[in-house]
Amino acid sequence: MIDPVSAFQQTGTEYVVELVAQVEQDASYAGQYVTIVVVTLIVIVLLLSALWLGWRNRKLRQKHVEVPASIPEGLLDQEPLVLDEGMYVATVQGRDWLDRIAVHQLGIRTDAQMEVHSQGVAILRNGASNLFVRADQITDVRLESGINGKFVEKEGLIVFSWMLGHQEVSTGFRTKTAAGKRPLYTALSGLIPEAGPATQHAATAKPNTTPTDDSGRE
C-alpha cells in the first residue's frame, strides 16, 4: 500500500525543485535582458558622444566664419515684397551641400518665416537667431532638390548663395506650401543686380548629390 505521507513529501519535493528551476530560468532571462539594455545604452551614449564631438570640432574649424548681420532696425515694420512660412534648412560653405556651417546657429534647422524686402531678405527663426542678408550680398538664387540632408522633390527647395564677409555661402529654405515657393523665388531673384527672375540659375551650380524623395513634405 502506498504511504500517503511519503507520496505527498515526494510530490512536494518535485514541486519545489521545479519551482527553483523556473526561478533560475527566469533570472537567466532577466539577466540577458539587462545585458541587452545596458549594451544598447552604452552604444547610444557612444553615438551621441561622437556626434557631439564632431559638431564641436566642426565649430572649431569654422571660427573664421563671420557673424551674419542683424536685421536692420525698423525693417520688420515695413511691408515686405513677399513673405511665406516654412523651414530654414541650413547654410553651407560655398556650394558644397554637405559642408554645413555650425557656428552662429547657422546649422540649426528650424521652422521659420522668410520676408523679402528691397533691402534684402530676413529669415525669422523659431528657437534660433534670426538671419538677414543684404540685397547686395546675394549672388545667386535657384531651385534645388536638396541641401545638407534635406532632400525633397525636384526643385522643392529655394537655395540662394550670398557673401558672408569674403566667403560665399548658400542657404536653403523650404516653403510650407508649394504655392508659396515661386513668389519667394521670383522676389529673391529680383534682388540680384542686372538679374530679373533668375530662371537660368536653376540649371547651373548643381549640388554634389541630388537624391530625391517624392514621399512628400516633412
Side-chain angles (χ1 to χ4, degrees):
M1 178 180 297
I2 299 175
D3 185 355
V5 175
S6 300
F8 175 78
Q9 290 177 343
Q10 183 178 2
T11 303
T13 302
E14 292 176 351
Y15 174 76
V16 170
V17 171
E18 291 179 359
L19 182 61
V20 170
Q22 183 64 44
V23 170
E24 291 178 346
Q25 185 178 27
D26 292 344
S28 176
Y29 287 152
Q32 292 177 7
Y33 293 145
V34 170
T35 301
I36 292 173
V37 170
V38 170
V39 171
T40 301
L41 290 176
I42 291 174
V43 171
I44 292 174
V45 170
L46 290 175
L47 288 175
L48 292 177
S49 299
L51 290 173
W52 179 82
L53 287 173
W55 190 253
R56 186 196 65 175
N57 292 336
R58 177 179 288 271
K59 294 178 73 172
L60 290 175
R61 294 195 304 269
Q62 295 175 349
K63 284 185 175 181
H64 64 282
V65 177
E66 295 190 17
V67 180
S70 301
I71 296 177
E73 185 177 355
L75 179 71
L76 300 181
D77 296 329
Q78 303 174 16
E79 186 72 21
L81 300 174
V82 63
L83 65 84
D84 204 349
E85 295 182 347
M87 175 187 293
Y88 168 89
V89 179
T91 295
V92 300
Q93 300 199 70
R95 304 192 185 191
D96 183 350
W97 286 186
L98 302 179
D99 192 3
R100 176 165 51 169
I101 296 177
V103 294
H104 315 314
Q105 298 188 332
L106 291 174
I108 301 176
R109 183 177 300 177
T110 67
D111 293 333
Q113 175 175 290
M114 178 185 284
E115 296 188 3
V116 180
H117 298 259
S118 58
Q119 300 96 317
V121 55
I123 301 180
L124 312 178
R125 302 199 291 159
N126 296 331
S129 57
N130 296 329
L131 177 65
F132 178 73
V133 180
R134 299 194 317 271
D136 60 1
Q137 292 177 298
I138 300 175
T139 59
D140 188 27
V141 183
R142 52 204 179 277
L143 299 175
E144 298 289 357
S145 61
I147 182 173
N148 195 253
K150 176 68 174 180
F151 297 105
V152 294
E153 75 279 2
K154 183 179 180 181
E155 298 186 346
L157 289 177
I158 298 173
V159 178
F160 64 97
S161 297
W162 51 287
M163 297 304 299
L164 180 55
H166 301 290
Q167 177 183 5
E168 186 182 51
V169 298
S170 297
T171 296
F173 187 83
R174 169 77 159 170
T175 56
K176 183 176 290 186
T177 64
K181 176 178 59 181
R182 184 59 59 174
L184 280 178
Y185 171 73
T186 301
L188 280 169
S189 300
L191 296 181
I192 303 175
E194 79 272 345
T199 53
Q200 69 274 14
H201 292 304
T204 63
K206 295 298 181 184
N208 292 345
T209 57
T210 56
T212 59
D213 177 8
D214 294 326
S215 60
R217 299 183 180 280
E218 292 185 7

